[in-house]
């Protein structure tokens, strides 16, 4: 059963110009994205920087208001909710931000940071709040003795653990992980990924895991969606995607993932040109200007995002 259903989600940013700030165009950051996240499962959302991954996550939570679409979470449409209803529901749908330093208030100590959502949503005593904060710190691998320390006194990995503890404070059903390890060292990335996997198993959490590193996504995702210029071009089971990618863009991304064995030689697919601007996207398939397998139809007609068997989907005229 799907816990989170996103259907035809769009977010267009107006481009204004002149003294009167007239709208002269729009940046199509997210242009008709659809996917589901099942309970206790992880959907990885990958793509190059600027493809709209983070905008998708923030639009789902309505940290930025979507232009149109439908977002159903646990049977309720988030885009039709009023402010108070949305505030209550956000207790069950949390987010972990990319930057573990700027996402924490430097004026608050760790105890205050983790306790803030508890105070705002739970009617429990100060003693119970302190006990819950200590429990959450231990759960993410921090010492309760550090409760009075401030964010600048921690390493990047420890700060991200604080962010995870804050996200867990209200016992959520799902968490949007917005590139939670991209700012960390490789060795620390593995620790945080293992922590998220353990917490998912213990709490039956659902994750929307946003990242640009496919090797990271492979270790935690059950399904993977590949995004390009505001649209999902391929959505597949993790094994199917990594073993047999069908979209030329997915193939190029996977060819760039380094292999730790020096005796294995993998041919890289080098894409020509730069990513087009979402302000003036190409006609037809948005990827055709860089695709090594493009055909005449690719520049004229947008490919249909179609099911090719099971839970595997692709938007490509070749398939």
């Amino acid at each position: 059963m799907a816990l989170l259903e996103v259907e035809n989600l769009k977010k267009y940013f107006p481009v204004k110009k002149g003294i009167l700030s007239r709208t002269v165009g729009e940046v199509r950051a997210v242009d008709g994205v659809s996917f589901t996240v099942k309970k206790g499962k992880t959907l990885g959302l990958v793509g190059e920087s600027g493809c709209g991954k983070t905008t998708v996550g923030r639009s789902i939570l309505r940290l930025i208001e979507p232009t149109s679409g439908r977002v159903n979470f646990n049977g309720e449409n988030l885009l039709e909710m009023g402010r108070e209803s949305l505030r209550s529901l956000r207790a069950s749908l949390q987010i972990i931000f990319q930057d573990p330093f700027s996402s924490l208030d430097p004026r608050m100590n760790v105890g205050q940071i983790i306790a803030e959502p508890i105070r705002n949503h739970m009617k429990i005593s100060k003693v119970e709040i302190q006990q819950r904060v200590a429990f959450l710190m231990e759960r993410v691998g921090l010492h309760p003795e550090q409760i009075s320390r401030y964010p600048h006194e921690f390493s990047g990995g420890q700060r991200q653990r604080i962010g995870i503890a804050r996200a867990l404070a209200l016992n959520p059903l799902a968490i949007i992980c917005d590139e939670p390890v991209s700012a960390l060292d490789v060795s620390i990335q593995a620790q945080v990924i293992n922590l998220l996997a353990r917490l998912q198993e213990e709490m039956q959490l659902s994750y929307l895991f946003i990242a640009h590193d496919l090797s990271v996504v492979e270790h935690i995702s059950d399904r993977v969606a590949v995004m390009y210029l505001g649209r999902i071009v391929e959505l597949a089971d993790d094994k199917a995607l990594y073993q047999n990618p069908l979209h030329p863009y997915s193939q190029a991304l996977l060819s760039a993932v380094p292999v730790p064995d020096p005796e294995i030689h993998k041919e890289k697919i080098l894409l020509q040109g730069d990513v087009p601007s979402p302000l003036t996207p190409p006609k037809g398939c948005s990827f055709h200007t860089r695709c090594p397998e493009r055909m005449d139809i690719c520049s004229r007609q947008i490919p249909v995002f179609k099911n090719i068997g099971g839970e595997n989907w692709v938007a490509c005229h070749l398939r």
Side-chain angles (χ1 to χ4, degrees), residues 184-236:
L184 307 177
D185 294 338
V186 175
S187 60
I188 306 301
Q189 286 183 5
Q191 294 176 19
V192 174
I193 290 295
N194 290 336
L195 171 62
L196 289 171
R198 176 174 60 81
L199 291 170
Q200 181 177 46
E201 184 177 354
E202 293 174 354
M203 302 176 66
Q204 282 298 293
L205 293 167
S206 300
Y207 292 146
L208 173 60
F209 194 93
I210 299 168
H212 62 268
D213 189 337
L214 275 83
S215 59
V216 169
V217 172
E218 183 179 10
H219 291 291
I220 195 168
S221 300
D222 301 288
R223 300 172 72 214
V224 181
V226 180
M227 198 168 174
Y228 183 81
L229 210 63
R231 294 176 180 165
I232 292 177
V233 296
E234 186 167 359
L235 173 61

Side-chain angles (χ1 to χ4, degrees), residues 228-229 231 276-278 280-289 298-299 302:
Y228 183 81
L229 210 63
R231 294 176 180 165
S277 169
T280 54
K283 294 181 179 179
C285 175
S286 58
F287 185 61
H288 85 266
T289 57
C298 300
S299 60
I302 297 174

Side-chain angles (χ1 to χ4, degrees), residues 78-90:
L78 271 65
L79 305 191
E80 294 179 350
M81 285 186 171
R83 182 176 296 180
E84 285 302 314
S85 299
L86 182 63
R87 180 178 179 275
S88 298
L89 187 135
R90 278 181 177 157

Side-chain angles (χ1 to χ4, degrees), residues 11-15 25-30 277-279:
K11 177 57 185 178
Y12 299 166
F13 292 96
V15 177
E26 54 189 12
V27 175
R28 299 188 174 192
V30 179
S277 169
L279 179 61

Side-chain angles (χ1 to χ4, degrees), residues 61-78:
L61 282 164
R62 286 178 62 185
L63 297 179
I64 53 176
E65 287 293 334
T67 302
S68 64
R70 185 173 65 88
V71 178
N72 268 24
F73 177 70
N74 206 21
E76 300 185 72
N77 190 345
L78 271 65

Side-chain angles (χ1 to χ4, degrees), residues 86-159:
L86 182 63
R87 180 178 179 275
S88 298
L89 187 135
R90 278 181 177 157
S92 299
L93 180 60
Q94 291 289 305
I95 185 170
I96 300 169
F97 294 98
Q98 177 179 357
D99 189 340
F101 188 74
S102 62
S103 64
L104 304 177
D105 190 336
R107 298 166 298 179
M108 298 171 68
N109 63 39
V110 174
Q112 293 169 328
I113 290 170
I114 300 174
E116 186 176 27
I118 302 172
R119 287 197 305 270
N120 290 337
H121 288 268
M122 293 183 176
K123 294 181 179 180
I124 57 178
S125 66
K126 289 184 178 180
V127 173
E128 290 174 310
I129 290 175
Q130 290 176 345
Q131 290 173 345
R132 178 150 184 79
V133 169
F135 168 75
L136 290 166
M137 290 183 69
E138 287 184 330
R139 192 162 203 177
V140 300
L142 296 172
H143 297 291
E145 294 79 12
Q146 299 172 314
I147 195 168
S148 60
R149 293 188 182 181
Y150 288 81
H152 71 271
E153 299 180 79
F154 293 87
S155 67
Q158 289 174 320
R159 285 196 288 264

